[in-house]
């Protein structure tokens, strides 16, 4: 159990001193609580010769113990409980920062339920139980040691009986921890699976409504397994806890019996005999608290394992180079794949500063992956990507992304106001700047028709808006950020024809003095690009301008000829 306390101490970081002081205060608090017992024992030892001085002395001890216990209980709360919340708040923020610097592959390979469980449930358990368990363990150990020493001072036989009870209790505590340590992983696995299934169910609710069936059954099974895992843990721990309590009761009864016999045979006088009989009810009371603490330590151990795994987030190495003012981009022999499936294979091309590049190709040819590599959402497997003539790994990720605005095909908006969503990349933007960007993105008019205009809260993911409306707000966000590089991933795919012309005008205005990279499926977006890169199964099949490629026999010309029939195409 002390190994777990060491792990909690290590996790506390800059709050380690507060934890140490909390443990010290807990020891002092326990001593004051024991002094309250001494006041009662002082009266009992003088029960046959009770005087005013004895009563006053006991009263002073009782008042001093109560006052001291109250003061140090407050200090424990301030140094351990209160600072415990600060510790885990900092850890959550730290993990949030770490997640921003993790490669996107980390999120593909990790179970979403596991991450959610660690950041919510595991942290909540540590916040609620870790400091409580430390306090219970410290109090239990100190109280038991103090009372046993006290009993040894009066009678070695009763002292040995007390020690025997402590040893048997410790053995039982180990058994409790061993049993619950087998059950807790099952509970955590079931909980993670349940969260994953519930998230999947909610995200796919439209499919569930239309088709019903298996996802619903998966959720039901996950919920039932979680129920069974929790019951199994309770059964495993409850048996041990009550067995330990029974052991303590037996040894407490032995202390009581031996004390009564010694009083009967005259070894103790009446007052001391009554004192030991009273002690038999108190000597193991704190050990029952320790048994609860031991069970909590198993929960804490598993939560610590979850947190430590999440804290060990793989992060992409960053350099210290200052960001280049040259916005040119170059790919040299770049290859990349997901696991064993190669997506980009030995690709090389240049994107000069202040030019526009369109990337076209069949669905699955690697267009979006290529843009994600340029933004360094993933690191290349082979080759290098240069920004301003230097490898993008030589810059800080935040500095690199600060030079880019991206409009994704699958737009995500936050559960916040429209204004805050638009100014996400420029938090200090004025209302006038927000509205100007919205007008350029053709979304000002529909925003003004909403109940609260720009202060309308749009719900998680922008659920209260249409696909086209979400996409236009996303474009407004990119326009407002005004980054030198703009990446558009099918930015007009959800826009109706009546707004397409205005949006294309906005995109044309957006790309002035900018480096524009666009993945598009509409010719109006492609044909005006300074260069067009045609991808085919991760390779560059063609590269050139629209006028050049239309004269060549190849994928681009065939696409233009049969684009209306080629439903498999995605530009």
């Amino acid at each position: 159990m002390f190994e777990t306390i060491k792990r909690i101490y290590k996790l506390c970081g800059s709050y380690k001193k507060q934890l140490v002081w909390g443990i010290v205060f807990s020891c002092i608090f326990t001593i004051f609580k024991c002094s309250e017992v001494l006041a009662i024992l002082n009266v009992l030892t003088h029960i046959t010769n009770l005087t005013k001085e004895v009563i006053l002395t006991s009263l002073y001890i009782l008042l001093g113990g109560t006052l001291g216990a109250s003061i140090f209980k407050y200090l424990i709360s301030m140094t351990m409980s209160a600072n415990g919340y600060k510790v885990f708040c900092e850890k959550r923020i730290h993990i949030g920062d770490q997640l921003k610097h993790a490669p996107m592959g980390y999120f593909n390979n990790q179970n979403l339920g596991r991450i959610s469980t660690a950041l919510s449930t595991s942290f909540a358990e540590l916040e609620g139980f870790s400091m409580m368990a430390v306090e219970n363990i410290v109090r239990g150990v100190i109280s038991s040691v103090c009372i046993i020493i006290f009993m040894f001072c009066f009678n070695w036989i009763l002292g040995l009986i007390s020690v025997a009870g402590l040893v048997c209790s410790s053995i039982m505590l180990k058994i409790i921890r061993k049993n619950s340590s087998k059950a807790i992983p099952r509970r955590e696995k079931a909980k993670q699976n349940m969260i994953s299934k519930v998230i999947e169910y909610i995200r796919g609710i439209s499919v569930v409504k239309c088709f019903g069936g298996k996802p619903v059954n998966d959720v039901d099974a996950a919920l039932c397994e979680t129920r069974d895992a929790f019951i199994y843990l309770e059964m495993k721990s409850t048996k041990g806890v009550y067995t330990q309590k029974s052991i303590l009761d037996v040894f407490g009864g032995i202390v009581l019996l031996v004390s009564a016999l010694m009083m009967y045979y005259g070894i103790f006088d009446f007052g001391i005999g009554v004192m030991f009989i009273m002690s038999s009810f108190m000597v193991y009371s704190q050990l029952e608290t320790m048994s609860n603490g031991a069970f909590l330590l198993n929960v804490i151990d598993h939560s610590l394992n979850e947190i430590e795994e999440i804290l060990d987030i793989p992060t992409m190495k960053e350099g210290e180079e200052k960001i280049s003012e040259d916005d040119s981009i170059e790919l040299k022999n770049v290859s990349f794949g997901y696991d064993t499936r190669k997506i980009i294979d030995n690709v090389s091309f240049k994107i000069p500063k202040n030019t526009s590049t369109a990337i076209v190709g069949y669905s699955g040819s690697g267009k979006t992956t290529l843009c994600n590599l340029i933004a360094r959402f993933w690191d290349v497997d082979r080759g290098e990507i240069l920004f301003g003539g230097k490898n993008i790994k030589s810059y800080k990720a935040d500095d690199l992304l600060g030079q880019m605005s991206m409009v994704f095909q699958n737009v995500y908006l936050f559960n916040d106001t429209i204004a805050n969503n638009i100014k996400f990349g420029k938090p200090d933007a004025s209302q006038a700047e927000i509205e100007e960007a919205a007008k350029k993105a053709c979304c000002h008019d529909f925003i003004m028709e909403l109940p609260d205009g720009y202060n309308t809260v749009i719900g998680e993911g922008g659920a209260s808006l249409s696909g086209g409306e979400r996409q236009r707000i996303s474009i407004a966000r990119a326009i407002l950020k005004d980054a030198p590089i703009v990446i558009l991933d099918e930015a007009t795919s959800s826009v109706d024809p009546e707004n397409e012309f205005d949006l294309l005008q906005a995109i044309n205005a957006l790309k002035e003095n900018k480096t524009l990279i666009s993945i598009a499926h509409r010719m109006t977006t492609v044909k005006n690009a300074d260069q067009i890169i045609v991808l085919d199964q991760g390779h560059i099949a063609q590269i050139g301008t629209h006028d050049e490629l239309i004269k060549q026999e190849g994928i681009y010309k065939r696409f233009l000829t049969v684009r209306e029939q080629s439903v498999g195409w995605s530009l």
Side-chain angles (χ1 to χ4, degrees), residues 138-158:
V138 171
R139 283 174 57 188
V141 171
I142 298 299
S143 296
S144 300
V145 169
C146 287
I147 293 176
I148 289 172
I149 290 174
F150 169 78
M151 296 186 79
F152 262 112
C153 291
F154 278 87
N155 187 275
W156 65 272
I157 296 176
L158 292 174

Side-chain angles (χ1 to χ4, degrees), residues 75-90:
L75 292 175
I76 291 169
S77 297
M78 290 298 99
T79 53
M80 291 181 70
S81 300
N83 284 312
Y85 289 104
K86 295 178 182 178
V87 167
F88 298 115
C89 176
E90 284 191 0

Side-chain angles (χ1 to χ4, degrees), residues 10 23 102 117 151 163 167 177 272 292 310 314 366 370 375 475 485 513 537 553 559:
K10 183 179 178 181
I23 293 173
T117 300
M151 296 186 79
V163 170
V167 171
R177 293 203 67 187
I272 294 178
N292 294 329
I310 297 298
L370 205 58
I475 293 172
I485 297 173
N513 301 318
Q537 297 182 351
E553 292 298 327
F559 160 68

Side-chain angles (χ1 to χ4, degrees), residues 452-478:
D452 297 313
Y454 283 87
N455 293 319
T456 301
V457 177
I458 56 178
E460 185 176 354
S464 60
L465 301 177
S466 69
E469 289 170 341
R470 290 197 298 271
Q471 203 151 44
R472 279 180 275 169
I473 288 175
S474 179
I475 293 172
R477 183 162 57 193

Side-chain angles (χ1 to χ4, degrees), residues 432-555:
E433 290 176 309
I434 294 170
E435 292 184 13
E436 181 63 24
K439 288 174 181 176
K440 288 182 178 179
C442 307
C443 53
H444 175 76
D445 291 339
F446 84 76
I447 291 173
M448 295 307 295
E449 292 175 359
L450 296 173
D452 297 313
Y454 283 87
N455 293 319
T456 301
V457 177
I458 56 178
E460 185 176 354
S464 60
L465 301 177
S466 69
E469 289 170 341
R470 290 197 298 271
Q471 203 151 44
R472 279 180 275 169
I473 288 175
S474 179
I475 293 172
R477 183 162 57 193
I479 291 172
L480 182 60
K481 185 179 179 182
D482 197 29
I485 297 173
V486 179
I487 300 176
L488 305 176
D489 186 353
E490 301 196 40
T492 61
S493 61
S494 298
V495 178
D496 50 75
E498 67 184 30
N499 285 309
E500 181 183 2
F501 176 78
D502 291 333
L503 268 179
L504 290 174
Q505 293 298 107
I507 290 173
N508 287 332
L510 176 64
K511 73 179 184 180
E512 290 181 6
N513 301 318
K514 300 264 192 315
T515 303
L516 179 69
I517 305 169
S518 62
I519 300 170
H521 68 286
R522 302 190 183 189
M523 285 308 302
T524 49
T525 312
V526 175
K527 67 181 182 180
N528 295 323
D530 295 316
Q531 69 172 339
I532 300 168
I533 296 169
V534 182
L535 288 181
D536 182 29
Q537 297 182 351
H539 297 273
I540 294 181
Q542 293 175 284
I543 187 168
T545 64
H546 171 76
D547 291 337
E548 291 170 344
L549 295 179
I550 198 65
K551 296 175 183 178
Q552 302 174 9
E553 292 298 327
I555 293 175

Side-chain angles (χ1 to χ4, degrees), residues 18-49:
Q18 284 84 344
L19 178 62
V20 172
W21 277 113
I23 293 173
V24 171
F25 292 148
S26 188
C27 292
I28 299 172
F29 166 79
T30 304
I31 293 170
F32 273 110
K33 291 296 289 184
C34 289
S35 69
E36 294 176 2
V37 176
L38 288 176
I40 299 172
L41 297 181
N42 184 54
V43 173
L44 292 175
T45 53
H46 297 86
I47 194 71
T48 57
N49 187 27

Side-chain angles (χ1 to χ4, degrees), residues 295-309:
F295 168 69
L296 288 178
L297 285 180
N298 270 339
V299 176
I300 291 166
D301 267 334
H302 198 84
S303 295
L304 286 170
N305 291 339
E306 294 288 331
I307 298 304
E308 286 168 1
E309 286 183 21

